[in-house]
Amino acid sequence: MEDVPTRSLRQERPHLPQTRQRASQDGRSTLQNASTRPRSLLATSDLSLSDISSILHAASLLEKENPHQRAKRLATRRLALLFYESSTRTRTSFELAAKGLGADTTLVSALSSSIEKGESLKDTGLTLRALGAECIILRHPSSGAPYLLERVTGLPVLNAGDGMHAHPSQALLDLRTILHRLKPEDAGAPVDAGTLAGITVLITGDILHSRVARSNARLLPRLGARVIFCGPEALLPESAAGMNTGISIERDFTRAMRHAQVVMMLRIQKERLAGLELDLDRYIANYQLNAMRLREHAPRALVMHPGPMIRGLEITSDVADGPQSAIEEQVRHGLAIRTALILRALGELPEVAAA
Amino acid sequence: MSHRTLIRNGRLIDPANPTAHSDAPRDLLIEDGRIAAVGPHLSAADAEIIDAANLVVTPGLVDIHVHLREPGQAYKETIASGAAAAAAGGFTSVAAMPNTVPVNDTPEITRWIQAPERRAQVRVYPIAAATLGSMGESLADYEALCDAGAIAVSDDGKPILGDETMRAVLRAAAAVGLPVIQHAEDTRMTGGCSMNAGALAFRLGLRGMPVEAEAGIVARDIALLRELDDDRAHLHVAHLSTRKALDHVRVARKSGLHVTCEVTPHHFVLTEEAIGEFDTHAKMNPPLRAREDRDAMIEGLLDGTIDCIATDHAPHAAHEKEQEFERAPNGITGLETSLGLSLSVLYREHRMPLHKVFALLSTRPAAVLGLGGGTLAIGASADLLLLSPDTERPFRARESRSLSRNTPFDGWSLPGAVHLTLHAGRIVYGKLPLTGVQHGQQR
């Protein structure tokens, strides 16, 4: 049965006007309208399984497309990148994705704009809209900021990371990475609730503050994966398991590794450990992914990291650069995914043939 | 010549005296702003007639927790506009919290708030600050504030956090007979938090306030009250929101301590799920809680542990609420939705008798703070509400009398349409046509 997107929490306000564009309740009408309506992506819960299939299919198609062809798709169209936080990977890949499609892009970053003078998110968004931006790609330190931006501008918004809440394009590129490495035979097929059956993804690190952890926890169980969160209590509260079905918490890293086909490491900030009074050396002893641990407990697992890495802290160089690591591929998949997301945002996704 | 108004053929419900009046139509005569007579077929020479057929006539409501924003933040609300919103909601008395700009910690500001120049159409009682500037350090002058008209002290918006300070506040307030109203929040546990702690906060990537942040302070305050051992001392817990804190109050009351508490309509109607997609109209302090706490609030109202309903009416400008969730200020308006929400949940869903619902909204809050009101006794000020408890109307934020529109209830269909509100015998809100003046006729 077609999975439905997990809608946020509107049970008590059914009478309120639905101002958001939303994924349709059933997969069928989504397929019919897939290529013509402009669409935000604020959280992976916005996407039905058939939306996800369309995006993955488009990513592959666009990746292989002749660059000159691809550069005609969004010629003269205008996109704005609005980044309140610094970023290497996400910003550059969104920017290159947009340029690869032929779009005109502009980057507004907090430090070099009137945001420094206290201009509101709303006014910044309206200004970009007035300048002809048809879509805004937003990274912001406050959870929920993309929802506000979408509401006040009426433009499709691509969430490039909002506070601790979500990083949906990251979860999609992580999914693509897992599929290409672990299920290459299913490449090109639409995904369903069983696509990742039998796959356990272990996510370790500062989960409390991680939007990457949350987005993967939202997305992967919908395709049948198990997700294990691992870390000390201060970085991983018990309430995290309540995020979705298929999520469990494990405090022992090596024990958790034995069950995992994917070992995803998250960045640890030294200052944060200090602030939480966690001993750095003890953390490394218990939770660092190093070559010996990997060899002993998960010798065939895929190693992933959203970046940026702190080599020598959560992950050692030999593992990061080793044969099990898909870290660089993740970045490549990111470009393909974001190309598809931009086209989808502008309602220009290539037609999907019915599965 | 005295001014007379005759309210005719209404169904009188006096929550202070529930069995006093039958359901049959009754008349109520107002003379010079006071209730002069009640009974069937009253006649009065030269009286204005108000036809209350098919309407309930009950005392005007009393809200002991509102933020009127003056002095200093008149762009959100003025005393006049807040009073107008109160009247539209059926309220004839409100108690105004002191977290204005500057904070109401002097007799001058306390008097300023009550001055006729503020053009308040309903009775406004000032609550003065417990500490200077509500900084939680030195106590304000309670005797002077009391003389100036303050009816309680509070640092609302913030807790009185220090043990020594709270001890001193309770002692000094008891000496002048003023209740202490505590905003119970252990701010050492709630830094950077914008909603209730739990699985939803984790999912939304927002920091959450644990229930212990409220319950811990309530327990501490009760312990200080017990230690003080002064019959005159009175602790009132503002905007209670958790089962744990309610349980502390229940136990304390059983042991004879003078502890009272209030709950807002949003805390017995909504849960944290109302936040939905980061809707700042569901952001307040204390935050909307999980289902089991919301349900505990309803239980507390039904079993009488919660003394009264108070709105914590907190107007904010549109541009302030239209910000990132973490940045938006806390609070929603409440004066024009309290009656409807209370009737909807307590009367309709839980079959609480009307007189008990009205008591929670008038007689009991008045009693908690020792105010007049909430009664239809002869001689009482003619503060009255005429309503149709069973008539539903959609609440439209854009028609609100408040200057602010920050409410999650826009469009909600609510029972208890207010037809007329009278304060001291004067109509302060109403769409009921007068049917003319009666000249010396017998009926």
Side-chain angles (χ1 to χ4, degrees):
Chain A
M1 201 193 104
E2 171 61 60
D3 182 35
V4 292
T6 49
R7 209 71 224 111
S8 316
L9 326 151
R10 295 188 89 96
Q11 297 96 310
E12 310 217 298
R13 312 174 307 152
H15 50 283
L16 287 181
Q18 314 282 9
T19 51
R20 281 209 61 211
Q21 297 164 358
R22 33 194 314 181
S24 49
Q25 291 287 88
D26 66 340
R28 273 173 273 116
S29 39
T30 302
L31 264 178
Q32 282 158 18
N33 298 323
S35 57
T36 52
R37 277 167 48 203
R39 288 165 186 271
S40 292
L41 178 60
L42 305 188
T44 55
S45 38
D46 297 349
L47 302 172
S48 67
L49 288 179
S50 70
D51 289 332
I52 296 168
S53 302
S54 305
I55 290 164
L56 290 172
H57 181 96
S60 295
L61 200 145
L62 292 159
E63 197 173 38
K64 296 189 207 98
E65 187 173 39
N66 176 294
H68 295 288
Q69 268 314 107
R70 191 170 60 221
K72 287 182 187 158
R73 289 183 177 268
L74 294 185
T76 78
R77 311 287 287 274
R78 217 166 273 169
L79 288 178
L81 288 93
L82 181 51
F83 274 62
Y84 283 72
E85 282 178 338
S86 59
S87 161
T88 302
R89 253 156 301 277
T90 307
R91 179 173 64 72
T92 309
S93 68
F94 265 118
E95 210 174 327
L96 288 175
K99 289 184 150 84
L101 291 162
D104 292 332
T105 69
T106 181
L107 168 66
V108 178
S109 69
L111 288 177
S112 60
S113 71
S114 293
I115 294 164
E116 272 208 309
K117 300 178 192 168
E119 186 164 28
S120 68
L121 178 59
K122 173 180 178 177
D123 285 327
T124 306
L126 293 178
T127 301
L128 293 172
R129 187 180 73 180
L131 289 170
E134 293 180 56
C135 166
I136 301 177
I137 299 162
L138 177 70
R139 168 167 283 195
H140 197 285
S142 293
S143 301
Y147 294 81
L148 174 61
L149 185 64
E150 190 203 44
R151 199 153 49 226
V152 298
T153 61
L155 292 178
V157 171
L158 293 177
N159 182 5
D162 65 323
M164 305 191 299
H165 171 240
H167 196 351
S169 63
Q170 179 72 40
L172 288 169
L173 73 89
D174 287 340
L175 171 63
R176 193 177 199 245
T177 305
I178 293 169
L179 289 174
H180 279 233
R181 276 280 202 128
L182 299 186
K183 302 260 170 178
E185 68 280 6
D186 289 341
V191 297
D192 60 39
T195 300
L196 295 179
I199 292 183
T200 297
V201 178
L202 169 60
I203 305 179
T204 306
D206 185 359
I207 289 163
L208 176 58
H209 298 99
S210 173
R211 52 191 173 220
V212 173
R214 284 173 176 79
S215 276
N216 274 301
R218 271 182 203 103
L219 179 64
L220 302 177
R222 291 174 61 199
L223 286 88
R226 266 190 67 211
V227 169
I228 303 177
F229 280 154
C230 185
E233 174 94 43
L235 296 179
L236 172 56
E238 288 291 322
S239 57
M243 252 209 88
N244 204 351
T245 55
I247 298 178
S248 55
I249 292 182
E250 174 58 72
R251 303 286 174 195
D252 185 325
F253 185 41
T254 46
R255 186 162 63 210
M257 281 178 71
R258 291 186 211 122
H259 300 284
Q261 287 72 47
V262 178
V263 178
M264 186 184 295
M265 304 307 293
L266 301 177
R267 179 171 65 113
I268 288 294
Q269 290 180 272
K270 254 200 311 213
E271 308 73 41
R272 203 157 255 156
L273 286 186
L276 291 167
E277 286 169 25
L278 289 174
D279 183 62
L280 180 63
D281 291 331
R282 241 182 104 209
Y283 183 86
I284 289 173
N286 289 330
Y287 295 103
Q288 182 189 66
L289 184 63
N290 55 47
M292 191 186 74
R293 254 196 183 118
L294 189 63
R295 188 171 51 245
E296 259 180 59
H297 303 288
R300 276 173 297 282
L302 190 63
V303 170
M304 295 174 63
H305 194 307
M309 291 184 280
I310 310 296
R311 291 169 180 261
L313 209 170
E314 70 271 8
I315 189 170
T316 55
S317 270
D318 46 5
V319 172
D321 300 332
Q324 286 170 250
S325 166
I327 295 173
E328 272 183 46
E329 286 152 62
Q330 284 175 270
V331 179
R332 278 205 314 277
H333 289 305
L335 183 56
I337 287 288
R338 286 164 181 144
T339 308
L341 291 178
I342 289 169
L343 272 188
R344 179 177 179 271
L346 296 180
E348 301 285 355
L349 208 61
E351 284 291 343
V352 180
Chain B
M1 190 190 94
S2 57
H3 185 254
R4 288 200 184 86
T5 307
L6 184 65
I7 300 179
R8 193 190 266 172
N9 282 333
R11 182 177 149 214
L12 269 50
I13 297 183
D14 185 353
N17 202 347
T19 53
H21 310 284
S22 76
D23 281 352
R26 286 284 175 272
D27 295 348
L28 187 150
L29 178 68
I30 301 170
E31 207 166 81
D32 293 330
R34 297 199 165 272
I35 298 175
V38 167
H41 307 307
L42 294 182
S43 73
D46 299 321
E48 276 176 0
I49 314 285
I50 293 174
D51 181 7
N54 300 312
L55 298 180
V56 164
V57 180
T58 194
L61 309 182
V62 177
D63 192 343
I64 59 170
H65 191 145
V66 303
H67 296 273
L68 297 183
R69 305 301 190 204
E70 279 198 299
Q73 295 181 308
Y75 69 95
K76 299 184 200 241
E77 192 83 282
T78 62
I79 292 171
S81 66
F91 290 87
T92 52
S93 296
V94 298
M97 280 295 182
N99 59 336
T100 48
V101 180
V103 163
N104 177 15
D105 57 8
T106 64
E108 289 72 39
I109 300 175
T110 299
R111 285 198 191 92
W112 185 91
I113 286 170
Q114 300 166 87
E117 288 81 0
R118 308 286 86 75
R119 294 178 296 120
Q121 296 175 291
V122 303
R123 184 78 190 265
V124 174
Y125 293 98
I127 297 169
T131 63
L132 293 176
S134 286
M135 296 303 287
E137 287 155 20
S138 11
L139 270 58
D141 182 348
Y142 296 169
E143 203 172 323
L145 290 166
C146 194
D147 286 344
I151 47 97
V153 297
S154 179
D155 280 347
D156 186 55
K158 302 181 195 176
I160 303 158
L161 197 60
D163 290 355
E164 266 320 308
T165 312
M166 186 57 171
R167 197 177 272 123
V169 166
L170 285 167
R171 192 183 302 122
V176 297
L178 288 179
V180 176
I181 304 177
Q182 172 74 299
H183 166 112
E185 177 194 348
D186 191 336
T187 43
R188 295 164 303 194
M189 296 171 90
T190 61
C193 296
S194 55
M195 65 174 286
N196 182 44
L200 182 59
F202 184 84
R203 198 182 310 147
L204 293 179
L206 292 170
R207 291 182 172 76
M209 301 188 206
V211 299
E212 287 71 30
E214 174 176 288
I217 297 294
V218 172
R220 191 280 311 257
D221 289 347
I222 287 170
L224 290 178
L225 191 69
R226 183 169 286 123
E227 187 193 290
L228 191 64
D229 196 19
D230 183 339
D231 285 341
R232 304 164 300 170
H234 173 191
L235 170 71
H236 178 75
V237 182
H239 45 50
L240 195 81
S241 69
T242 64
R243 178 185 287 278
K244 254 189 159 173
L246 180 62
D247 288 345
H248 290 319
V249 172
R250 195 179 271 119
V251 167
R253 275 245 280 281
K254 279 211 180 85
S255 71
L257 286 180
H258 192 187
V259 186
T260 53
C261 64
E262 70 194 31
V263 69
T264 68
H266 50 267
H267 283 113
F268 66 81
V269 172
L270 300 175
T271 67
E272 58 186 357
E273 290 168 19
I275 293 172
E277 289 172 341
F278 300 91
D279 187 354
T280 59
H281 291 141
K283 182 181 179 184
M284 56 280 278
N285 191 6
L288 297 174
R289 301 283 186 185
R291 218 160 270 217
E292 69 127 23
D293 286 307
R294 188 272 308 267
D295 292 347
M297 295 303 104
I298 296 175
E299 276 166 42
L301 287 165
L302 294 174
D303 74 18
T305 310
I306 296 179
D307 296 86
C308 63
I309 295 167
T311 65
D312 197 1
H313 176 84
H316 291 294
H319 72 268
E320 295 177 308
K321 279 297 209 177
E322 208 168 35
Q323 289 189 89
E324 299 87 327
F325 195 85
E326 286 161 353
R327 289 183 72 167
N330 288 308
I332 56 170
T333 56
L335 284 166
E336 287 157 291
T337 46
S338 179
L339 174 62
L341 292 169
S342 303
L343 288 172
S344 179
V345 173
L346 301 172
Y347 170 58
R348 282 263 185 90
E349 257 183 71
H350 292 274
R351 311 208 171 289
M352 182 185 269
L354 274 178
H355 73 87
K356 281 198 162 160
V357 181
F358 294 142
L360 285 167
L361 291 165
S362 65
T363 320
R364 295 184 66 186
V368 161
L369 291 189
L371 310 172
T375 174
L376 295 181
I378 307 297
S381 176
D383 290 352
L384 301 169
L385 163 60
L386 277 64
L387 74 150
S388 310
D390 298 300
T391 303
E392 266 193 28
R393 275 196 207 141
F395 167 65
R396 301 239 178 266
R398 67 170 183 271
E399 289 168 11
S400 167
R401 296 299 199 270
S402 168
L403 290 185
S404 293
R405 301 276 174 277
N406 51 313
T407 171
F409 303 116
D410 190 23
W412 281 45
S413 185
L414 296 176
V418 173
H419 286 257
L420 213 64
T421 308
L422 293 97
H423 171 50
R426 279 179 352 264
I427 295 173
V428 290
Y429 174 83
K431 300 198 175 141
L432 201 65
L434 303 179
T435 57
V437 177
Q438 177 176 279
H439 293 290
Q441 279 173 316
Q442 291 282 84
R443 265 214 283 145

